[in-house]
Amino acid sequence: ILATNPSGAKPFAHLMLTNSGDITCTDCAFILATHNVYINPGNGQSVVSIKFIGGFLDQAGTNNLIAVPSGTGVWERSSFFETWFGTPGVNNISLGPSNTAIIDAIDCTGCELYGGVNGIGTTQGGATITNVQFTGGRIAGASGSAVSLNGGGNYLFNGVKIGSAGGFGVNAIGVT
């Protein structure tokens, strides 16, 4: 799948998930939306078992990937393998669940996050973000923080290079 919009108004999202499961996206390229992937399950809804294998989430006006479950919404059991997240207007990955929603068991393995204000940004719901894991990969060129955990949560970073890489400079701040 290639979804892009090189001119004109940006679509709100190339992929919007509110109540779904078991989606595999292999070598998909979502480029130039406001949010390239928007995950927003509400009360009684869940987005589970999403698999991204390779591909590009690039040049979003705001966030390349945003997860903002609300009410009792749940996003869990999802993984991104060797996926490129590049040059968004704000965050490459943004996690902002409500204080009653759940984000659980999200894995990024060998992913590359370049540019933007933050590589990974969280805004709220610290107690409801659990088992988020980043293994390998790189975070470079963020004008803010490579990792901004303003909302707290439970994370594991293992072998992630935070600093200049791939033609992108250092991050202004490593981890906040």
Side-chain angles (χ1 to χ4, degrees), residues 1-170:
I1 296 174
L2 170 63
T4 187
N5 188 35
S7 62
K10 294 181 185 306
F12 179 76
H14 287 307
L15 179 62
M16 182 182 294
L17 302 170
T18 57
N19 197 26
S20 58
D22 198 19
I23 294 173
T24 300
C25 194
T26 303
D27 292 328
C28 296
F30 296 121
I31 302 168
L32 292 169
T34 300
H35 307 285
N36 285 320
V37 175
Y38 188 82
I39 300 171
N40 184 25
N43 282 325
Q45 296 177 319
S46 61
V47 174
V48 297
S49 302
I50 307 303
K51 306 294 180 197
F52 268 74
I53 303 165
F56 295 86
L57 304 177
D58 201 11
Q59 300 177 51
T62 306
N63 301 294
N64 280 319
L65 167 67
I66 183 169
V68 285
S70 61
T72 60
V74 174
W75 177 38
E76 62 188 0
R77 297 189 318 266
S78 296
S79 62
F80 298 82
F81 180 74
E82 295 185 356
T83 304
W84 166 283
F85 297 83
T87 60
V90 182
N91 296 317
N92 273 300
I93 298 174
S94 181
L95 305 176
S98 69
N99 289 328
T100 55
I102 293 172
I103 294 177
D104 184 35
I106 311 301
D107 296 318
C108 289
T109 303
C111 293
E112 300 176 71
L113 287 69
Y114 295 120
V117 176
N118 298 307
I120 303 157
T122 62
T123 56
Q124 60 190 25
T128 65
I129 300 174
T130 56
N131 304 308
V132 175
Q133 180 171 312
F134 292 83
T135 305
R138 298 168 199 72
I139 305 173
S143 63
S145 296
V147 180
S148 175
L149 303 179
N150 294 325
N154 177 296
Y155 302 87
L156 173 64
F157 291 87
N158 184 20
V160 179
K161 163 82 159 87
I162 296 176
S164 63
F168 286 82
V170 298

